Amino acid sequence: MKTKNLFISGLIGLFASCSSQNCKIEGTVENAKDGDTLYLARMSDGNFTPTDTIILHQGKFTLQEKCDSTIIASFFFYDQESNEVYSNIFFMEKGNIQLNIGPEGRVSGTENNDIYQEITDSIYALHERMSNIYARQAPSDTAEYSPDEKTEQELVALEQQSNRFVTESVKKYIDKPVGYFLFLSCYNMFTPQEVLELSQKVSSHYKNSNALKYIKEDAERSNMTSNGQSFIDITIPSMDGGELKLSDIIRDNKLTLVDCWASWCGPCRAEMPNVVSLYEKYHKKGLEIVGISFDEDETTWKNAVKTMNMTWPQASELRSWDNIMTQKYGVTSIPYTILIDSNGTIIGQQLRGEELENTVKQYVSSQKLAID
């Protein structure tokens, strides 16, 4: 790790000749004292490695380097007064970059940094609206709070708006370093096929990265359980203390819905009334649901099942993400549904609400089963 006295570096920079490939970073750090340390890390294959220790003077620093290509980087600063750690992403590239480090850090000055700041501003604005809604509703005297149905739907709508904005930004900027970084951060928001398509559009600079290779392999693995493929059998601990084998459920029913959820997942809770309604309408017509929880706490899981009137078979390994559904089916976000017909063929995934009910209704109709 390099240590740089940036007061000296700044003086040297005054006499250095300008180059089209120079990257000049000027920054201010709130509440910094002379001699405080700023750490700089650079990303390689999806991981950040500390590379520079920067000694601050009067809360300011200047860094000037050659930049033949854009480097995705991050800074870390510990504010001793507030006991807070400030960190953020920025892009080291040719041009003049301005970093303002503190509770409301900002970066600007070059193409990728300006795009990244614009995206983060929009996301933070949506999250601030969510926080304000939650703060208005949550009682101040308790650490645990479940918002009412109307509030929860409002929060879910904002979360979905935020997710749409992120995915649209990835698609728009996928050929730039900022788009590549966002893609690495949220590839689980896309279908496996979308991941493979976007992987082909990243900058040639990242085509052979191990991080991109991992994402593509994960998407290809998920494609093995895409629509039209045969289901993969799993055995998982059931809520009654026994074991649930998926093939047994599929064998005994005309249609099986695997519903991955968790009590801590807001969108899952908002969607659950639709799943309950679906079960009430179609269970006697041949539909069975298997709830697979990503909860880690058994009591919280069981209480949520009871509270939300989930009367179908329930199972869980009591592991959040390192579980059989992430390993076998490539599930990277919840709620996540998998619809399987009586032949064990996957006929739908990630279906919710009206789309889910229409798919079930269409299948029931095609099988000439009784419909009310």
Side-chain angles (χ1 to χ4, degrees), residues 6-21:
L6 289 182
F7 179 71
I8 302 296
S9 297
L11 290 177
I12 294 173
L14 293 176
F15 300 100
S17 60
C18 293
S19 164
S20 61
Q21 299 301 315

Side-chain angles (χ1 to χ4, degrees), residues 8-42:
I8 302 296
S9 297
L11 290 177
I12 294 173
L14 293 176
F15 300 100
S17 60
C18 293
S19 164
S20 61
Q21 299 301 315
N22 273 0
C23 168
K24 183 180 181 182
I25 305 171
E26 295 180 298
T28 58
V29 183
E30 292 186 31
N31 298 326
K33 300 180 179 61
D34 279 357
D36 280 355
T37 302
L38 176 72
Y39 299 97
L40 185 67
R42 307 175 194 221

Side-chain angles (χ1 to χ4, degrees), residues 141-154:
D141 60 345
T142 178
E144 295 184 5
Y145 165 67
S146 296
D148 58 46
E149 184 176 344
K150 181 180 178 180
T151 302
E152 192 154 39
Q153 289 175 348
E154 189 176 1

